[in-house]
Amino acid sequence: MTAATPPSSKPATLHDVARAAGVSLITASRALGQPAIVSEATRARVQAAVEATGYIPNLLAGGLKSRRSRMVAGILPALSVSQFLPTVQSLTVALHEAGYQLMLGQTFYDAVREDEVLAAMASRQPDGIVMMGLVQSERSRERLQRLGVPVVETWDITDRPVDMVIGFSHHAVGAAVADYFRARGVERVGIATGSDHRALQRRDGFVAAWGRDVPTAIVPAPSSLALGRQALGELLARQPGLQAVACSSDMLAHGVLVEAAARGLRVPQDLAVAGFGNAEFGEHMLPSITTVHVDGPEMGRLAAQLIVQRCQGQVPERAAFDLGFRLIERQSTAGGAPAGS
Amino acid sequence: MTAATPPSSKPATLHDVARAAGVSLITASRALGQPAIVSEATRARVQAAVEATGYIPNLLAGGLKSRRSRMVAGILPALSVSQFLPTVQSLTVALHEAGYQLMLGQTFYDAVREDEVLAAMASRQPDGIVMMGLVQSERSRERLQRLGVPVVETWDITDRPVDMVIGFSHHAVGAAVADYFRARGVERVGIATGSDHRALQRRDGFVAAWGRDVPTAIVPAPSSLALGRQALGELLARQPGLQAVACSSDMLAHGVLVEAAARGLRVPQDLAVAGFGNAEFGEHMLPSITTVHVDGPEMGRLAAQLIVQRCQGQVPERAAFDLGFRLIERQSTAGGAPAGS
DNA sequence: CTGTTAGCGCTTTCAG
DNA sequence: CTGAAAGCGCTAACAG
């Protein structure tokens, strides 16, 4: 063996590797980046030199010249909005498999912060951008278009995507829940919802399908159990004889269930409750929570695929994907006769 | 005004900005990076040129030369482990205020993955590294030390940190819960725990303080409500007359509560339950969940401060911080007399 | 306060 | 299959 890792000198560069392997700089580069076009013997020597020197490639330098950072930016309202975690998870994994890393940024539901975050991301030269939700401001829209990298908006659908979009109609989700309650004979219904754009769109869909306005408790995002309890209190004060509540998240629904229990209301006999998001806990609680399932992991997987394809110069056949949703009926609404008996 | 943003040509470089402002490249650079040492008039002209050209700095290029990426790597087991989110949140905010961005990596509780993630991060030249938990493998340890950037391990405490450490003793947490149950007269206790290192350390502390071995249901990470239900089933099968369960997370405790209700056990009269982490939902449920609180946000804030100080060449007075913890008694254990009455 | 020069570490040309 | 030269966009170092 030649020189091993020096105790604590400067980190090895590709130059050091090349010298240790007795090849030129560029050959070392190719042995690592495009092993197919290098002879096997050379490749092995370079590999050995990498081990010996403890070489770690510098992606800043590589990216500067190649204009490919092998990094994708992921923008979400906040990490604490657990709805997005499965999407972020599968996105991370799918990108990793393709040799990309995900860098997350949070907007906190604020259009100005969104633009700042996008600017910060842009300065790191991402190869693609995945948004959880649609782009908020016109300013951000233009910024994204000017960047010239593939953009995927997720968790919503629109006629006017910045580039590509994968999601479902929040309006349709709201309508489906309204239709479900009506089919069960519910007459006096309330809505407990977060204040974010998508949740309010679901509310709009609910009201449209319901046919008339619906008492609504709007709570600040991110939603929590405490806010769910509070929301039910408000709704009961405004709508005596309330029979059902549609919630904008399963955690909010959980809070509604707790508050209902605290007030001696039986669920679903006295009060039916539906959530959104199909969180893990909702399936196993007593009562289990009726909810709307959307395929979060698939959105992440597909977003990664589209970004990677575009980075490789391919043009995906479609630019918009409506993945739909599924209402899952559980105990919180599924008791025998509806309320008011 | 001079030339505005060309429709869709190449993105503007600092060179373009300098020319538009009629100054040299380096002056433009300084006007943006060290505005204090540039005359106000020049600064204003450069600023105007930035607007006119739509310039976005290229941090890859800047970082390559200055050897400061203005990026910090954050390593956690998985985003779905919600215990860490408050820490990640405050870390993100505190770093942002200091002009740094956080890049997250997940290890999935796997030492090999940990090392891969660290290698991937290292190739992006982070200015610092924050670990949620202690470094797992000796290999990763060495890698981190060789990197030569400040490292903060959090959410645990050790005599032998890689560099700096901010956390608390999991052993002591377990012991405190055991002492608490004993003081309440509990005799037959069980443990429901995730399989991760820290949770098992809390178990060790519990057993040590309890004085003899304790029936334990170990469930795979990440913990969930369903696993909590399952764990109580196992414990009841193995320990007839079980009076109390210590859980390694509030979500597991939630599951234990649900299973207890399903079996007609009253909490806390028939079964006392304690969790860990002080999750939001635990405070507002019925019964509310007794838990152990640790200051997640403070760990993030302090970690950011230490990293930033070290990046500025300062040497913090201390390299280890034990932030302690607090047992919060709530309804799930606080009923009148303990079980067995 | 401003400018010139050099070069970070790597990959893209273009030649063998 | 391998190599030499050039330069990505920016900032440190040293002048003025």
Side-chain angles (χ1 to χ4, degrees):
Chain A
M1 275 297 149
T2 51
T5 54
S8 70
S9 67
K10 289 190 172 180
T13 72
L14 195 51
H15 185 91
D16 302 323
V17 173
R19 211 177 27 189
V23 298
S24 75
L25 185 64
I26 183 59
T27 300
S29 171
R30 287 199 271 246
L32 299 175
Q34 316 169 58
I37 68 166
V38 170
S39 79
E40 193 170 339
T42 307
R43 205 186 316 149
R45 278 163 61 209
V46 170
Q47 205 59 54
V50 166
E51 305 281 344
T53 55
Y55 171 68
I56 294 175
N58 183 332
L59 282 180
L60 299 195
L64 182 57
K65 182 67 186 171
S66 68
R67 311 189 147 291
R68 287 187 293 105
S69 61
R70 310 211 67 88
M71 185 213 92
V72 170
I75 313 291
L76 74 173
L79 282 172
S80 52
V81 183
S82 50
Q83 314 230 323
F84 297 123
L85 289 186
T87 303
V88 171
Q89 195 69 272
S90 72
L91 185 60
T92 306
V93 170
L95 286 175
H96 175 80
E97 285 168 2
Y100 290 79
Q101 265 180 281
L102 182 68
M103 180 152 204
L104 291 176
Q106 304 178 72
T107 67
F108 301 104
Y109 292 108
D110 179 324
V112 174
R113 283 280 304 155
E114 176 182 82
D115 200 58
E116 287 174 8
V117 167
L118 284 176
M121 290 296 179
S123 64
R124 298 196 188 271
Q125 318 291 118
D127 291 340
I129 297 184
V130 178
M131 312 280 308
M132 312 296 146
L134 301 179
V135 173
Q136 305 277 315
S137 66
E138 203 55 36
R139 202 182 151 79
S140 294
R141 238 191 131 67
E142 281 163 20
R143 186 190 287 287
L144 285 170
Q145 274 158 349
R146 213 166 330 125
L147 266 181
V149 300
V151 175
V152 182
E153 291 165 281
T154 65
W155 276 88
D156 207 336
I157 207 84
T158 173
D159 293 341
R160 193 164 154 271
V162 171
D163 182 7
M164 298 175 282
V165 60
I166 306 168
F168 58 95
S169 164
H170 289 264
H171 199 274
V173 167
V177 175
D179 290 344
Y180 171 76
F181 277 143
R182 168 165 308 105
R184 294 194 60 74
V186 170
E187 287 173 4
R188 288 178 301 284
V189 70
I191 294 177
T193 181
S195 58
D196 66 280
H197 178 69
R198 286 176 293 280
L200 293 177
Q201 257 193 291
R202 296 198 290 277
R203 177 184 185 278
D204 288 348
F206 190 105
V207 171
W210 194 251
R212 61 174 190 279
D213 201 13
V214 175
T216 302
I218 299 185
V219 300
S223 62
S224 68
L225 192 142
L227 289 170
R229 294 193 64 168
Q230 177 190 317
L232 180 57
E234 289 178 25
L235 290 174
L236 287 171
R238 282 162 56 185
Q239 173 72 288
L242 188 73
Q243 296 171 305
V245 180
C247 304
S248 69
S249 78
D250 288 341
M251 190 53 95
L252 229 38
H254 189 351
V256 167
L257 291 183
V258 169
E259 186 62 24
R263 292 168 181 250
L265 294 170
R266 293 165 305 161
V267 172
Q269 297 91 330
D270 300 330
L271 187 74
V273 180
F276 174 81
N278 195 17
E280 186 271 340
F281 63 81
E283 182 175 357
H284 303 284
M285 287 177 52
L286 294 174
S288 56
I289 302 177
T290 292
T291 192
V292 173
H293 172 84
V294 295
D295 196 341
E298 176 62 11
M299 283 190 263
R301 204 194 52 69
L302 188 50
Q305 184 185 315
L306 293 176
I307 296 273
V308 171
Q309 282 184 355
R310 285 277 294 276
C311 288
Q312 294 171 345
Q314 301 168 39
V315 178
E317 291 178 15
R318 299 165 56 193
F321 298 80
D322 186 339
L323 265 41
F325 58 88
R326 203 171 77 239
L327 197 150
I328 301 178
E329 181 177 60
R330 298 211 187 102
Q331 295 164 349
S332 69
T333 60
S341 59
Chain B
M1 273 298 146
T2 51
T5 53
S8 71
S9 68
K10 288 189 172 180
T13 73
L14 195 51
H15 185 90
D16 302 321
V17 172
R19 210 177 25 189
V23 297
S24 76
L25 187 62
I26 185 63
T27 299
S29 171
R30 288 200 271 246
L32 299 175
Q34 315 169 59
I37 69 167
V38 170
S39 79
E40 193 170 336
T42 307
R43 205 187 314 150
R45 279 164 60 210
V46 171
Q47 206 58 55
V50 166
E51 306 282 343
T53 55
Y55 172 67
I56 294 175
N58 183 332
L59 282 180
L60 299 196
L64 182 57
K65 180 66 188 174
S66 68
R67 310 189 146 290
R68 288 187 292 106
S69 62
R70 309 210 69 87
M71 186 214 91
V72 170
I75 313 291
L76 74 173
L79 282 172
S80 54
V81 183
S82 50
Q83 313 231 324
F84 297 122
L85 288 187
T87 303
V88 171
Q89 196 69 270
S90 71
L91 185 60
T92 306
V93 170
L95 287 174
H96 175 79
E97 285 167 1
Y100 290 79
Q101 266 180 280
L102 182 68
M103 181 154 205
L104 291 175
Q106 303 178 73
T107 67
F108 301 103
Y109 291 107
D110 178 325
V112 175
R113 283 280 304 157
E114 176 182 81
D115 200 59
E116 287 174 7
V117 168
L118 284 175
M121 290 296 178
S123 63
R124 297 196 189 271
Q125 318 291 118
D127 292 340
I129 297 184
V130 178
M131 311 281 308
M132 313 295 147
L134 301 178
V135 173
Q136 305 277 314
S137 66
E138 204 54 38
R139 199 180 153 80
S140 295
R141 236 191 133 66
E142 282 163 20
R143 186 190 287 286
L144 283 170
Q145 274 158 349
R146 212 166 330 126
L147 266 181
V149 300
V151 175
V152 181
E153 292 166 282
T154 66
W155 277 88
D156 208 336
I157 207 84
T158 173
D159 293 339
R160 191 164 156 273
V162 171
D163 183 5
M164 297 174 283
V165 61
I166 305 168
F168 58 93
S169 163
H170 289 265
H171 198 274
V173 167
V177 175
D179 290 343
Y180 171 77
F181 277 144
R182 166 163 311 107
R184 295 194 58 75
V186 169
E187 289 174 1
R188 287 178 301 284
V189 70
I191 293 176
T193 181
S195 57
D196 65 282
H197 178 68
R198 285 176 294 279
L200 292 176
Q201 255 193 291
R202 296 198 290 277
R203 177 185 185 278
D204 288 347
F206 190 105
V207 171
W210 195 252
R212 60 174 190 279
D213 200 15
V214 175
T216 301
I218 298 183
V219 300
S223 62
S224 67
L225 193 144
L227 289 169
R229 294 193 64 167
Q230 177 191 317
L232 180 58
E234 288 178 25
L235 290 174
L236 286 171
R238 281 161 55 183
Q239 173 72 286
L242 187 73
Q243 296 170 304
V245 181
C247 304
S248 69
S249 77
D250 288 340
M251 192 51 97
L252 274 183
H254 190 350
V256 167
L257 291 183
V258 169
E259 186 64 24
R263 292 168 182 250
L265 294 170
R266 291 165 307 160
V267 173
Q269 296 92 331
D270 300 330
L271 188 75
V273 180
F276 173 82
N278 195 18
E280 187 271 340
F281 63 81
E283 183 175 355
H284 303 282
M285 287 178 51
L286 295 175
S288 56
I289 302 178
T290 292
T291 191
V292 173
H293 173 84
V294 296
D295 196 340
E298 176 61 11
M299 284 190 264
R301 205 194 53 70
L302 189 50
Q305 184 185 316
L306 293 175
I307 296 274
V308 170
Q309 280 185 357
R310 284 277 294 275
C311 287
Q312 295 169 346
Q314 301 168 39
V315 178
E317 291 179 13
R318 300 165 57 193
F321 298 80
D322 186 338
L323 265 39
F325 57 88
R326 203 171 77 239
L327 197 149
I328 301 178
E329 182 177 58
R330 298 210 187 102
Q331 296 164 348
S332 69
T333 61
S341 58

